[in-house]
């Protein structure tokens, strides 16, 4: 058996990944993030905590999720063999539950009884409301009123789970505004409330904590590759919104230099400002939501509007560790357009009987583009971050628009 290599120990104790990361927060939040950092440092060394987390992942989430060889898709493309890491089969339909459960366990350790979360498409809100239900915590989810309208079924789900969905009416009434509102709540409530951030973003220690809770994806995948393929894959492809599913699958492979890693951002309708959500491709370093990272912003540092067919990728920032991997060259980042993602969504249904989330369809579309040029001996792993039931109506509407047949 091959033991997974120890990845480089980043971030440093101030939360820096090279020049990125850190803690750009108001004074009123210092005590809360310090408490979280201290509690997490203890928890990660505590066998009982780790055993409880593993037990939940196995018996509640349904882990390990399978690594599936997509035979018909691979044959259709006529190149590399394509494997799907099936996070769509995790409870609640995506990888987000891994992080939500881990942070709920930390909440209990800190003696807090209330959690808050921000959500865009509603997936992180559902995962947090689910984890809160399992442990009987009060849960308030901040959601832009525009997203509440677009994602009505997830709002119903959160309410049935006992969560309170707070409509945010400021700004563009989407994810960025919901995050600002959650931060404001936390400034006043942090003595009894934990803020469960949904991706590898925010001030230190959040990017590290979320990455570590999601790294179960990459650890399983590494083991499964060795068992099922007999070696590590040629490349791993994942979509990047804030970057948590990508960081989770990439991290345990960082020291495996032969494994290429590609993060796929939302290319939207094109390269113009406001037409995409691709900070690593088109953005520049700036501070957003508590850390320094690549951000989509104008000359004055105002955050730019974003667009993607997929609500989970529709965010102007990205995790600081991705910015570090970008600049160091360890991970390559690219974009996939709305229409290529939509084609990939349809193709996976037709050839494999799997309905992917539109987010995951971005990773899939990149694999579809590169696989034909590779040979059959090579294996590509795609992180299929979630299932697409939530996207079905929107996808059908868009397909109807582009293809009246
Ligand atoms: C939220 C979400 C994403 C994007 O978030 P990351 O933090 O970049 O992983 C991707 N896929 C699915 C299915 C999601 O729900």
């Amino acid at each position: 058996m091959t033991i997974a290599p120890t990845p480089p120990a980043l971030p440093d104790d101030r939360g820096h990944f090279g020049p990125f990361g850190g803690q750009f927060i108001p004074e009123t939040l210092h005590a809360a993030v310090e408490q979280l950092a201290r509690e997490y440092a203890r928890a990660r060394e505590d066998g009982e905590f780790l055993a409880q987390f593993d037990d939940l992942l196995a018996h509640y989430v349904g882990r390990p999720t399978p690594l599936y060889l997509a035979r018909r898709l691979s044959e259709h493309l006529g190149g590399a063999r394509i494997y799907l890491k099936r996070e769509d089969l995790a409870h609640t339909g995506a990888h987000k539950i891994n992080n939500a459960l881990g942070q709920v366990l930390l909440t209990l350790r800190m003696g807090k009884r209330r959690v808050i979360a921000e959500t865009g498409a509603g997936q992180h809100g559902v995962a947090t409301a689910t984890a809160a239900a399992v442990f009987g915590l009060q849960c308030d989810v901040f959601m832009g009123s525009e997203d509440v309208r677009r994602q009505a079924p997830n709002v119903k789900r959160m309410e049935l789970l006992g969560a309170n969905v707070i409509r945010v009416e400021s700004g563009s009434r989407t994810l960025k505004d919901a995050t600002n509102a959650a931060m404001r709540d936390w400034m006043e409530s942090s003595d009894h409330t934990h803020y469960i951030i949904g991706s590898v973003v925010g001030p230190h220690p959040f990017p590290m904590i979320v990455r570590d809770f999601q790294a179960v994806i990459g650890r399983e995948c590494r083991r499964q590759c060795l068992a099922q393929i007999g070696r590590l894959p040629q490349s791993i492809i994942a979509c990047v919104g804030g970057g948590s599913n990508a960081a989770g699958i990439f991290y345990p492979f960082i020291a495996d230099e032969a494994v290429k890693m590609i993060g796929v951002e939302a290319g939207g309708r094109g390269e113009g400002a406001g037409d995409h959500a691709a900070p690593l491709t088109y953005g520049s370093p700036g501070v957003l939501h508590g850390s320094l990272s690549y951000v989509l912003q104008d000359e004055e540092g105002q955050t730019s509007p974003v667009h993607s067919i997929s609500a989970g990728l529709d965010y102007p920032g990205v995790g600081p560790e991705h910015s570090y991997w970008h600049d160091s060259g360890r991970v390559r980042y690219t974009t996939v357009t709305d229409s290529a993602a939509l084609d990939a969504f349809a193709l996976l249904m037709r050839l494999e009987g799997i309905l992917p989330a539109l987010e995951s369809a971005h990773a899939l579309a990149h694999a579809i583009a590169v696989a034909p040029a590779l040979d059959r001996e090579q294996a590509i792993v795609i992180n299929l971050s979630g299932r697409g039931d939530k996207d079905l109506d929107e996808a059908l509407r868009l397909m109807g628009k582009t293809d009246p047949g």
Side-chain angles (χ1 to χ4, degrees):
M1 200 182 99
T2 311
I3 304 294
T6 311
L10 284 178
D12 65 18
D13 55 12
R14 311 271 312 284
H16 293 113
F17 303 89
F20 301 107
Q23 289 176 331
F24 294 82
I25 49 172
E27 188 59 38
T28 45
L29 283 180
H30 273 126
V33 296
E34 284 314 314
Q35 180 192 22
L36 178 63
R38 254 192 334 270
E39 197 59 49
Y40 180 63
R42 279 199 285 263
R44 71 196 292 183
E45 305 295 327
D46 177 351
E48 226 169 279
F49 173 85
L50 298 174
Q52 191 184 11
F53 184 47
D54 282 352
D55 184 73
L56 278 168
L57 292 179
H59 301 111
Y60 187 72
V61 177
R63 307 203 70 91
T65 59
L67 180 68
Y68 167 71
L69 169 58
R71 280 177 213 283
R72 290 195 68 217
L73 178 64
S74 304
E75 272 163 30
H76 173 80
L77 297 172
R81 275 174 303 156
I82 296 185
Y83 288 81
L84 306 176
K85 179 61 174 158
R86 299 288 309 274
E87 291 302 296
D88 61 310
L89 295 177
H91 180 50
T92 69
H95 66 291
K96 289 207 170 72
I97 190 73
N98 303 324
N99 168 52
L101 284 168
Q103 288 202 52
V104 158
L105 293 182
L106 290 177
T107 306
L108 295 169
R109 282 179 72 103
M110 292 185 288
K112 298 181 177 181
R113 300 296 309 168
R114 174 177 178 254
V115 291
I116 55 173
E118 83 293 340
T119 200
Q123 295 302 104
H124 174 56
V126 166
T128 301
T130 300
V134 178
F135 289 96
L137 297 179
Q138 186 193 334
C139 176
D140 292 331
V141 178
F142 292 86
M143 190 168 185
S145 59
E146 178 59 19
D147 289 332
V148 168
R149 189 186 60 74
R150 288 190 292 194
Q151 311 288 334
N154 271 341
V155 175
K156 287 272 170 328
R157 246 169 118 192
M158 286 184 268
E159 288 172 348
L160 282 169
L161 286 159
N164 179 27
V165 179
I166 300 171
R167 277 99 173 137
V168 177
E169 302 288 353
S170 53
S172 56
R173 287 172 267 152
T174 58
L175 178 58
K176 177 173 67 70
D177 314 291
T179 307
N180 290 335
M183 284 272 188
R184 269 196 304 277
D185 180 294
W186 204 36
M187 282 188 235
E188 284 169 10
S189 64
S190 62
D191 58 323
H192 64 284
T193 296
H194 176 56
Y195 176 16
I196 300 190
I197 290 186
S199 190
V200 286
V201 299
H204 177 68
F206 283 102
M208 170 180 74
I209 290 177
V210 179
R211 174 201 70 196
D212 290 354
F213 287 147
Q214 293 294 0
V216 64
I217 304 171
R219 284 197 305 274
E220 285 174 8
C221 182
R222 202 168 186 288
R223 248 190 342 261
Q224 290 166 324
C225 285
L226 294 172
Q228 294 173 227
I229 311 172
R231 55 189 153 74
L232 298 180
Q234 193 261 356
S235 54
I236 303 175
I237 303 175
C239 65
V240 177
S244 69
N245 85 87
I249 198 166
F250 291 165
Y251 188 61
F253 291 90
I254 285 290
D256 299 305
E257 279 164 29
V259 179
K260 293 201 179 88
M261 296 198 265
I262 301 134
V264 182
E265 298 191 300
R269 301 178 283 245
E271 299 183 8
D275 285 338
H276 56 77
L280 290 167
T281 307
Y282 302 117
S284 53
V287 171
L288 178 67
H289 296 141
S291 63
L292 178 72
S293 195
Y294 277 80
V295 180
L296 290 168
Q297 55 191 343
D298 65 18
E299 319 273 271
E300 274 92 56
Q302 287 296 320
T303 311
S304 308
V306 281
H307 161 81
S308 170
I309 191 181
S310 136
L313 301 183
D314 212 349
Y315 182 65
V318 65
E321 193 162 22
H322 285 289
S323 294
Y324 173 73
W325 288 335
H326 172 273
D327 282 13
S328 72
R330 178 62 190 94
V331 179
R332 200 163 66 73
Y333 295 86
T334 184
T335 59
V336 152
T337 62
D338 286 349
S339 70
L342 208 52
D343 290 347
F345 175 91
L347 191 68
L348 195 68
M349 275 295 262
R350 190 61 71 84
L351 293 178
E352 297 289 348
I354 295 171
L355 174 61
L358 281 174
E359 291 84 0
S360 323
H362 284 71
L364 194 62
H366 182 68
I368 288 169
V370 300
L374 299 173
D375 71 57
R376 259 163 231 280
E377 290 314 301
Q378 296 183 306
I380 295 181
V381 173
I382 298 165
N383 198 16
L384 206 75
S385 54
R387 66 172 184 237
D389 306 58
K390 67 184 176 63
D391 298 316
L392 203 46
D393 288 349
E394 180 71 355
L396 289 173
R397 188 179 70 78
L398 291 165
M399 284 191 248
K401 235 197 221 163
T402 51
D403 174 18

